[in-house]
């Protein structure tokens, strides 16, 4: 095996690398925004790391994602991947305090770039779900609940993924409403918060959108992308992230799963969070 | 609207919250590992944040994810969500240096918990893709290429998502092989690195697995989960993350997209990365 060989071409034709010739020919969707590829030249030196993001990307929606210790990694990152592609959008990770916030498995930390105190106005609020301890911690945190309730009053959309809907419910946002959540929390959200659980990928209730477990946030985000712009833009984002899902198995629907597989799924969740 | 009302139940029945009664009854899959729910009691105070993760979770696979400035957020986080649920697994984010590493849109930073120097042995290496600048930056970074080649020699699986396969190719790992990548980079990987592009969700070539664009990493990871354990465990993880995808549109397949939608997709990618 030729692992010593460097495969760097003498001329890194950057414009070809991501089909950027096409992108440059198509022009820019944002007035005044230079396409990334247009200024790049073959054989130019490697780019310097860009500075920290501006707080607002442009005229697009301001999306804020609430992180808390013990969130599940894909819950905020799937939707953020989608929504950050919207023209002029900004996506900001928000924590009770700024700094790293670790996932339920403790394997990964995402940086909260802003604290609760720094954010009081968002177009879109997204509350991810988490493991058992993380979700309970958020539910029992009065600062998070109060902040969610306050920010929600002026959002265009307030959204959740997985057990994030329990946190919205704990903040008083879902009483008497229809919503979804992770399949294992369906009974809990009904019994505790008077919510009607709907077993769909995402459920709209007024300007609140809730998604089912973990991966369903991606589907919710594509729907939301169309609401915030138009269907064609949402379709283009789906193509940009090549979201043409083809899981090797067909076992993601709790409605069709046997009890033994459900038990194993919950055991893997609790064990990975307990490490 | 009752946003002032706190919806915290007087008794937070934690065991019910994530169907954890079921999980506890099923016992623990790891000898000596206490299920997260078993020690929790109703009305107990909110848990303290857990300490930083141990470097190894147990007897499971050691997964390392290479982060570099300008990676695309979902590329590493989708597979990490899946692989971190494997019994005893550890997932470590690795950067050229430890510390925050920012995405192509600059919106989000994920913490690299380890630097290249700290890691020389992994069961699974995953190299995510990135935007144009990020991918080129990684391709042109001799330290990254050298590290990938060296670590690859002893992995069980070396994997990539999206344009991460260009980085594997630049490290000399894919010459003369079949692989996939983001649809917009298909010509580039063929012309530059002598790779045969295969338009599938993921492609196996020996012990190298490459995934198509961005979201395809989740499909790859479920396949890999089955390879590392067994199909039943992989199916349970799929259920745990409720991966029963139902995108609101059907436009994720570049093979079926018209040129105009492709142009728009590439423009959204380059504009969001240029902000």
């Amino acid at each position: 095996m030729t692992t010593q060989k460097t495969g760097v071409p003498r001329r890194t034709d950057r414009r070809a690398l991501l089909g950027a010739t096409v992108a440059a020919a198509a022009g820019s969707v944002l007035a005044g925004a230079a396409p990334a590829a247009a200024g790049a030249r073959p054989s130019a030196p490697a780019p310097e790391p860009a500075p920290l993001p501006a707080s607002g990307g442009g005229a697009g929606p301001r999306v804020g994602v609430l992180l808390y210790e013990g969130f599940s990694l894909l819950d905020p990152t799937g939707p953020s991947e989608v929504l950050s592609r919207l023209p002029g959008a900004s996506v900001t990770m928000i924590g009770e305090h700024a700094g790293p916030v670790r996932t339920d498995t403790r394997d990964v930390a995402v940086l909260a770039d802003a604290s609760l105190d720094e954010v009081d106005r968002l177009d879109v609020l997204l509350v991810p779900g988490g493991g058992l301890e993380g979700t309970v911690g958020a539910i029992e945190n009065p600062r998070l609940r109060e902040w969610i309730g306050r920010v929600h009053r002026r959002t265009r959309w307030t959204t959740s993924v997985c057990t994030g809907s329990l946190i919205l419910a704990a903040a008083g946002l879902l009483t008497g409403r229809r919503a979804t959540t992770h399949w294992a929390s369906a009974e809990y959200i009904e019994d505790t918060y008077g919510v009607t659980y709907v077993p769909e990928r995402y459920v709209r209730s007024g300007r609140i959108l809730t998604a089912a477990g973990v991966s369903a946030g991606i589907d919710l985000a594509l729907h939301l992308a169309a609401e915030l712009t138009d269907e064609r833009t949402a379709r283009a984002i789906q193509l940009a992230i090549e979201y043409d899902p083809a899981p090797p198995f067909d076992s993601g629907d709790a409605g069709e799963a046997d009890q033994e597989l459900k038990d194993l799924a919950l055991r893997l969740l609790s064990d990975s969070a307990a490490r």
Side-chain angles (χ1 to χ4, degrees), chain A:
Chain A
M1 186 162 309
T2 58
T3 50
Q4 290 310 310
K5 174 192 171 195
T6 75
V8 179
R10 222 160 285 173
R11 290 162 38 96
T12 302
D13 188 351
R14 299 171 178 210
R15 298 182 64 174
L17 188 144
L18 271 175
T21 306
V22 178
S28 171
V29 81
L30 289 176
R41 296 157 59 92
S43 305
E48 290 295 309
L52 285 178
S55 57
R62 288 164 300 178
V63 179
V65 177
L66 178 63
L67 298 182
Y68 52 87
E69 289 293 322
F71 72 96
S72 297
L73 182 59
L74 184 54
D75 290 32
T77 56
S80 295
E81 177 67 58
V82 171
L83 299 174
S84 68
R85 306 301 176 184
L86 287 168
S90 66
V91 175
T92 304
M93 296 288 164
I94 304 161
E96 187 167 4
H97 312 283
V101 184
R102 209 158 274 276
T103 59
D104 49 3
T105 66
R106 316 296 301 161
D107 274 336
V108 182
V110 176
L111 205 64
D113 283 308
S115 69
L116 297 184
D117 296 337
E118 298 174 90
V119 180
D120 63 356
R121 191 71 186 270
L122 292 169
D123 295 307
V124 176
L125 168 63
L126 187 137
V127 177
L132 183 65
E133 296 297 317
T135 303
V136 170
I139 285 173
E140 293 184 344
N141 185 330
R143 286 197 68 209
L144 292 194
R145 294 197 310 272
E146 188 277 329
W147 181 84
I148 290 169
R150 182 158 43 83
V151 168
H152 167 67
R153 282 184 217 129
R154 298 202 290 178
T155 58
R156 290 167 65 188
W157 295 95
T158 296
T159 69
S160 67
V161 180
C162 197
T163 59
S165 57
L166 304 186
I167 303 167
L168 295 187
L173 270 52
L174 290 176
T175 311
R177 288 174 178 261
R178 300 162 74 249
T180 190
T181 187
H182 190 280
W183 53 266
S185 299
E187 274 186 42
Y188 187 84
I189 201 169
E190 293 211 316
D191 295 350
T192 309
Y193 298 113
V195 171
T196 302
Y197 168 71
V198 182
E200 290 173 7
R201 289 299 277 174
Y202 51 87
V203 173
R204 177 178 174 176
S205 192
R207 58 191 177 82
I208 299 179
L209 277 171
T210 53
V214 190
S215 63
I218 300 172
D219 295 332
L220 177 148
L222 283 170
H223 171 82
L224 182 57
E227 293 280 354
L228 291 166
T229 56
D230 52 67
E231 186 177 316
R232 183 148 185 88
T233 301
R235 285 180 177 272
I237 293 175
Q238 183 177 1
L239 182 59
I241 66 166
E242 207 160 349
Y243 185 46
D244 181 35
F249 315 111
D250 181 23
S251 55
D253 180 0
E256 294 181 3
D258 61 50
Q259 191 58 48
E260 199 188 334
L261 196 67
K262 287 182 179 178
D263 291 349
L264 180 56
L266 293 171
R267 210 162 64 194
L268 290 170
L269 284 173
S270 64
D271 285 348
S272 58
R275 283 201 294 265

